[in-house]
Amino acid sequence: MRLVDRGIVHVYDVMVVGKDANGSVYLVDLATSSGQAGGFAELDGARTGILAEDDLREVAGAMQPGTMAALIVYENTWAVPFVAAAMESGGQMIAGGRIPAQDVMEVLDALESLEPTN
């Protein structure tokens, strides 16, 4: 919520999905959950419809019994001026992607271990 309040991100959709010990999938109602949704309960109004039933099924297929997952569709609003400036100067997006933070940290750690020490 701090990132939303500071205007760094805009949250469009949040869906919290659980899979019980028997493998049955359920959707957590953020408006009525009693602590089950953790800090996501504050985002109960974020439902644009971008996330749909097929997203729920795909995530559920990857989950282990007894786990929960949060699906979040958000925009990095801090990037809007950067993208606008690139487009205004003739640039165009030809691809996009996301590198998980854990992967970045592992690569940086590996590079750090290769640096010579004086």
Side-chain angles (χ1 to χ4, degrees):
M1 286 307 298
R2 286 186 294 227
L3 295 175
V4 171
D5 292 342
R6 291 174 46 207
I8 295 171
V9 298
H10 176 84
V11 178
Y12 290 100
D13 256 346
V14 175
M15 185 183 291
V16 178
V17 181
K19 190 178 242 187
D20 68 18
N22 297 322
S24 296
V25 177
Y26 60 93
L27 190 59
V28 176
D29 183 348
L30 297 178
T32 61
S33 68
S34 57
Q36 187 179 20
F40 295 105
E42 292 183 58
L43 296 170
D44 67 324
R47 291 293 299 146
T48 62
I50 294 172
L51 289 173
E53 187 73 26
D54 57 332
D55 299 305
L56 173 71
R57 282 192 298 273
E58 185 176 342
V59 168
M63 293 173 64
Q64 297 295 317
T67 61
M68 293 183 79
L71 289 73
I72 305 170
V73 177
Y74 67 95
E75 175 183 30
N76 285 317
T77 52
W78 61 264
V80 172
F82 171 78
V83 173
M87 292 176 76
E88 287 170 5
S89 65
Q92 62 180 338
M93 174 87 85
I94 59 170
R98 180 153 174 76
I99 302 171
Q102 185 63 39
D103 292 353
V104 173
M105 290 186 289
E106 289 172 5
V107 169
L108 291 175
D109 287 344
L111 290 172
E112 187 175 284
S113 69
L114 296 176
E115 291 179 5
T117 55
N118 294 353

